[in-house]
Amino acid sequence: MVFDFKDIIEIMEKLEGISSKIEKTQILINILKNTPKENLEYVLLFLMGNIYPEHVEKELGISQNLLMKAMSKAYGHGIEEIERMWKEKGDLGRIAEELCEKRKQTALLFSSLTLREIFNVLRQAADMEGEGSIDKKMSLISGLLIKAKPKESKYLVRFILGDMRIGVAEGLVRDAIIGAYFSQFYWIDIFTSQQSITEEIILRYWKNKVFLISKEAELSHPLFVLIKKIAKEVKEIPEREIERISSFHYSKLKADIVITSSSELGSRLRQSYVELVDEAYALINDISQIALIAYEDGEEGLREVKPVIFRPIKVMLAQKVNTIIEAFNVVGKPAAFEYKFDGFRAQIHKNKDKVVIFTRRLENVTKQFPDIVSYIKEHINAENCIIEGEIIGYNKQTKEWLPFQKLSQRIKRKYYIEKIKEEIPAMIHLFDVVYVDDELVIKKPFKDRRRILEHIVREEDFKVMLAKQIITEDVKEAERFYKESLTKGNEGIMAKNLNAPYKPGLRVGNMLKIKPTLETLDLVIVGAEWGEGKRAGYLSSYELACYDPDTGEFLTIGKLGTGIKEKSEEGTSFEELTEILKPHIIKEEGKHVVIEPRLVVEVTYEEIQKSPHYTSGFALRFPRLVRVRDDKSPEEADTLERVYQIYEMQRGRGIRG
Ligand code: ATP
């Protein structure tokens, strides 16, 4: 079966109506199994609403207004009418569907669009620049819309806007890749009475599949009886065999679904594949390429994935602990402690004489930091490398290190870079290495990576330094170092496990941050209310949401009204937030507005509580604004999982995962 645009539209409709993640995954697995290799990239990018893979810096550059104009041209309705409909419905996709239907075109006039054609046209539009390009882009888009059937128009428009509204994001696509090219792992554990399958899933999605079931399982269990009825084949093998097979080549068994009798084993097997795919993905930042590698070269292929120089990788993240003793408990003794500089994290790629700097958001900021580029060229002795450090600003006169807020002016600055470079000079403190002279070094323990770094860096104060570090097993010594770091103007210290590998894209306990403040949350504003009285004309009461990386959804968790100033001179004000948010309003209902998730804010709170009132299932007590986090994208906001972890920690249950 050739899987193309018309097939995917039918499935999109199904996905939109389903909220269960496990069901969505089953549908995605079917898509992957039916998609031929040459369409895999298009299908995955389309599902996720991306025209290019994540690492490509190009943008389509079609604003909502331009799209409305293209719709107006394609459907012969006035732009005012489309705008009015949009304010009412807040979904241009549905409006396109409605207008397309009204056009009463006979089916014969619709030509069948292919994914290849859609991507070609849109990528052509993305490449257009300069005079007349806006009109040309508009014609290209209206040309596509004219060819599309009503349902197709709906998703085409959403695709152009980059918001498919089907609840499919990286997490689910990753699970689907595992399910399609390796196996799906479930369990029915009668000892712990945990089971990860339901009768509904079996009946709806698992007819004619090949099952591998552990011999130790309670085979008289009604779900197994059902499976035996509907399966194409059931292989029963001992649990230790299942474990052994999985450790080298699972896919050879061609089992669609593996069911163990132990929830521990089942979830461990599943987790091992999750880590395999996640790590490879974090290194090359292209989920469709990962799918292709899994499809063609299986596990081995994924294990051999190497980063590509000048393509940003997803970095390893830190967990928070509150005390040095806690830190030792997590990273072991002795441990490395380093200053936690208050700058921005830079991922630096170098190949011969070329240097590129990426931020945490994987944005290229090379142009903004010509000073750092030349320091790296002069002070790093490696043909090629990917290294990490914190760029901080300092005061030219006093030589004191500056807080991040000051340096952030340089990140935003696109012009007069030479001038600001003089006003806010910057330096870098390097703390890790991922790749050096064509070798991926992430599997090496941290102490060896630090040694490599020491070997390739020629330090020079106020240019390139290694992060100040001590190695100790003594709580008192670590505490002294913590105090010293704070007096230097740093945020705190980092504690690092000397023997741990680098885990790209993951927040595992290999690297910890210790800072004096409460754990804050970085959340996305997704709604607000128009204010009254002295706040009339300004947005207020901002609705906060955390991120669900499985579905790409933003789940609400509270309303923010404090910590925001009345006047801009005093800090982040209502006026300033309104200015940032207003262009992203997507719907208005009386006083309440819905805002496209764009802006990340850091908030403190007194406590996290369970709450049916918000879609995350949690509520923040007394949230208060700390600052706007324009160094983070909405997808980098704190996740539902993180909120849950903090909630558990509050209840004294400690860190998980
Ligand atoms: P997140 O916790 O999500 O990473 P964040 O940016 O709020 O977000 P921080 O609380 O600032 O994270 O802690 C981790 C960050 O600390 C790193 O991403 C890095 O930018 C910074 N950092 C400063 N000094 C160091 C160091 N010596 N080693 C590692 N990271 C450091």
Side-chain angles (χ1 to χ4, degrees), residues 315-318 338-346 360 389-390 431 467-468 491 494 496 507 511 513 515 519-520 522 602 627 629 631-632 636 638:
V315 295
M316 176 163 80
L317 302 168
E338 291 175 4
Y339 282 176
K340 183 180 191 309
F341 306 95
D342 186 17
F344 82 89
R345 184 170 188 160
R360 266 283 304 271
E390 191 88 354
F431 54 73
K468 176 140 185 207
E491 272 191 297
M494 307 293 294
K496 299 182 181 180
R507 194 186 292 280
M511 170 162 107
K513 51 187 177 190
K515 38 183 188 177
E519 170 110 70
T520 54
D522 294 329
E602 182 176 347
R627 59 176 167 144
R629 291 286 314 241
D631 59 323
K632 280 197 166 182
E636 281 182 297
D638 277 305

Side-chain angles (χ1 to χ4, degrees), residues 55-70:
H55 62 88
V56 177
E57 280 175 59
K58 286 186 194 172
E59 272 181 24
L60 181 55
I62 292 181
S63 66
Q64 189 154 298
N65 276 342
L66 189 62
L67 179 57
M68 287 199 215
K69 279 191 193 142

Side-chain angles (χ1 to χ4, degrees), residues 94-110:
R94 278 191 195 282
I95 297 166
E97 180 183 2
E98 203 179 310
L99 294 178
C100 182
E101 229 147 35
K102 274 196 196 145
R103 205 168 35 145
K104 294 216 176 62
Q105 193 164 356
T106 61
L108 280 176
L109 287 175
F110 292 117

